[in-house]
Amino acid sequence: MEQLVGVHHHHSSSSSLSPRTPSPTHPLPHLLRLPSSSNRLRPPDHPHSSHPVSKLLRVTPPFFLVLLAAVYLLASFTIFSSPAASLRPTKNRPKLLLPMPAPSPPPPDLFELHGGRIRAWITNVGATVTSLLVPDNNGVLGDVVLGFDSLDPYQEKCSTFNDACLNNLKLVTSTSNYGWRIKDGKFTLNDKQYSLAINNPPNTLHGGFKGFDKIIWEVAEYVKGENPSITFKYYSKDGEEGFPGDVSVTARYSILASTTLKLEMEAIPLNKATPISLAQHTYWNLAGHNSGDVLAHTVQILGSQITPVDETSIPTGEMMPVSGSPFNFLTETTIGSRIDQVPGGYDHNFVIDCGEVKSGLCHVAKVTDPSSSRVLDIWADAPGVQFYTGNFLNGIVGKGGAVYGKHAGLCLETQGFPNAVNQPNFPSVVVQPGEKYSHTMLFEFSTK
């Protein structure tokens, strides 16, 4: 999946700061202090006077007493009748805005789906399948997905299954808003030209330098038990990697029956039309992730045409019949039997004929490993499928120290046609605001 699955919210809040509210207790000032009957305060000409009023008048002049009493009464009235300073409304008081820090992204994590006879491990980094245990014809479980022992490599730009950064290919289940290539990293939509990240010069591949496969998705729901599933969400902001519009994206994995993994992808543009083509990019090796190359696997692709490409792997806009060519996989054919007739190996988009249908999905492809008798049938509702044979894998160290060399895995990515946004004769990949893009895949395992 190239731009998917996943989903930027920044929250801020404002608050006004006010002076601290005064204490409700106001001690009364001592405006009058009666002097003690000290001889020092007694005038010498009235040595025998002891009347309290006369004493007070001798000490404090009457005018001053009246003035102090008036001040006292005025102060008391003001203090006890006025509202507290912090509660008084003030016109045009400026508010001090305190921005809240943006919520930190969720940490990388790994989730297990255990149902029936298969077990899947999926990470929120790129909504990526890291392992999938499937039984062979003797019931022995084997991990049929290339991957790593830790989550760190899945977040790095140039160390995962991106073919040594030559193609920026996605790792094990990746997502971005536009699968495969866009010519020169440009397209025009509604009379406006958009320029994208050029991560596969001179083109854009899988959504740019940081496609949906590199972001950490939010886990919206995680269900364990008899019908396990996990749903990831991502909010792609307008301008991300150059693409227009805010897009809300979800990807839901679930295990059906006993040996079927289902993936449902949805995306809704919120404010601008934008191209969307979500692709799932797992590297499969049905003999086991550590068993060498896949050249002995047989493949059937139910597409009678391909979209031929130029020297930079961009479709020319034509449709070419596969009959009589090394691209003819209408019947089961060993991958290695004709791969040398295709310069560089298979990396082409097949036009799905949609013959047999199951649950509204077309039968896209069938892969068989003769050594384990494992069989993978893929069903989907997309118009095309990219068949890729890991042509640039060059000794990447994976799970358990396994070394993944050339052709160590194969990919069958159902999708919209590459560069469809620039080819009016291809099925449109443009989705309007409020419309829902949906793409469903079934990975059905069995034994021969």
Side-chain angles (χ1 to χ4, degrees), residues 260 354-363 377 379-380 440 442 444:
T260 300
C354 198
E356 186 181 0
V357 175
K358 174 186 290 189
S359 301
L361 306 178
C362 301
H363 192 194
D377 282 282
W379 307 74
T440 300
L442 290 179
E444 185 179 56

Side-chain angles (χ1 to χ4, degrees), residues 109-115 117-125 127-135 141-151 154 161 171-173 230 253 255 261 280-285 288-290 398-400 404 443 445:
D109 207 348
L110 194 62
F111 305 88
E112 180 182 2
L113 299 184
H114 188 182
R117 301 172 61 203
I118 64 175
R119 298 173 67 183
W121 281 266
I122 304 169
T123 176
N124 58 342
V125 180
T128 299
V129 176
T130 63
S131 293
L132 185 62
L133 299 184
V134 178
L141 293 177
D143 188 351
V144 298
V145 168
L146 276 61
F148 297 104
D149 287 324
S150 73
L151 297 182
Y154 293 94
F161 295 103
L171 189 75
V172 180
T173 290
I230 187 164
Y253 288 93
I255 293 181
L261 179 67
Q280 207 271 2
H281 202 292
T282 294
Y283 283 74
W284 305 103
N285 188 323
H289 78 97
N290 56 353
K399 290 180 286 192
Y404 304 138
F443 304 94
F445 293 92

Side-chain angles (χ1 to χ4, degrees), residues 233-367:
K233 285 191 174 184
Y234 180 59
Y235 185 90
S236 177
K237 278 195 168 182
D238 185 16
E240 183 174 331
E241 296 296 312
F243 287 91
D246 298 328
V247 183
S248 177
V249 193
T250 62
R252 181 178 186 269
Y253 288 93
S254 56
I255 293 181
L256 308 180
S258 61
T259 56
T260 300
L261 179 67
K262 183 179 184 180
L263 171 59
E264 301 163 275
M265 299 178 282
E266 293 183 351
I268 301 176
L270 303 180
N271 46 25
K272 293 182 182 179
T274 191
I276 301 177
S277 178
L278 308 182
Q280 207 271 2
H281 202 292
T282 294
Y283 283 74
W284 305 103
N285 188 323
L286 298 186
H289 78 97
N290 56 353
S291 62
D293 63 55
V294 294
L295 297 180
H297 284 45
T298 63
V299 172
Q300 180 184 22
I301 301 175
L302 301 169
S304 56
Q305 299 179 94
I306 64 167
T307 53
V309 297
D310 63 17
E311 64 278 1
T312 66
S313 298
I314 292 292
T316 63
E318 305 168 281
M319 304 281 190
M320 187 188 86
V322 300
S323 178
S325 77
F327 300 98
N328 188 353
F329 287 93
L330 290 172
T331 59
E332 294 184 59
T333 303
T334 303
I335 294 175
S337 63
R338 296 175 304 194
I339 195 171
D340 58 346
Q341 300 177 37
V342 181
Y346 294 104
D347 191 5
H348 297 77
N349 176 64
F350 288 70
V351 180
I352 298 171
D353 293 335
C354 198
E356 186 181 0
V357 175
K358 174 186 290 189
S359 301
L361 306 178
C362 301
H363 192 194
V364 173
K366 180 180 181 180
V367 184

Side-chain angles (χ1 to χ4, degrees), residues 91-238:
K91 293 183 179 181
N92 300 322
R93 173 183 289 179
K95 293 184 178 181
L96 179 60
L97 299 180
L98 297 179
M100 295 292 290
S104 51
D109 207 348
L110 194 62
F111 305 88
E112 180 182 2
L113 299 184
H114 188 182
R117 301 172 61 203
I118 64 175
R119 298 173 67 183
W121 281 266
I122 304 169
T123 176
N124 58 342
V125 180
T128 299
V129 176
T130 63
S131 293
L132 185 62
L133 299 184
V134 178
D136 63 10
N137 57 346
N138 295 316
V140 177
L141 293 177
D143 188 351
V144 298
V145 168
L146 276 61
F148 297 104
D149 287 324
S150 73
L151 297 182
D152 290 341
Y154 293 94
Q155 302 178 75
E156 298 172 7
K157 290 183 179 179
C158 291
S159 65
T160 57
F161 295 103
N162 54 8
D163 292 0
C165 292
L166 295 177
N167 285 11
N168 193 31
L169 297 181
K170 302 318 170 188
L171 189 75
V172 180
T173 290
S174 51
T175 59
S176 87
N177 76 326
Y178 195 85
W180 228 234
R181 294 173 175 85
I182 296 178
K183 181 177 176 63
D184 298 328
K186 298 181 185 299
F187 66 89
T188 299
L189 186 58
N190 294 333
D191 299 322
K192 181 177 180 180
Q193 186 178 82
Y194 294 90
S195 296
L196 311 176
I198 306 297
N199 62 320
N200 180 229
N203 307 314
T204 297
L205 177 65
H206 289 322
F209 287 107
K210 190 175 183 180
F212 288 179
D213 65 308
K214 292 295 186 292
I215 59 95
I216 300 179
W217 295 60
E218 172 193 351
V219 177
E221 184 181 53
Y222 182 28
V223 178
K224 301 179 181 180
E226 186 176 351
N227 299 299
S229 67
I230 187 164
T231 302
F232 299 101
K233 285 191 174 184
Y234 180 59
Y235 185 90
S236 177
K237 278 195 168 182
D238 185 16

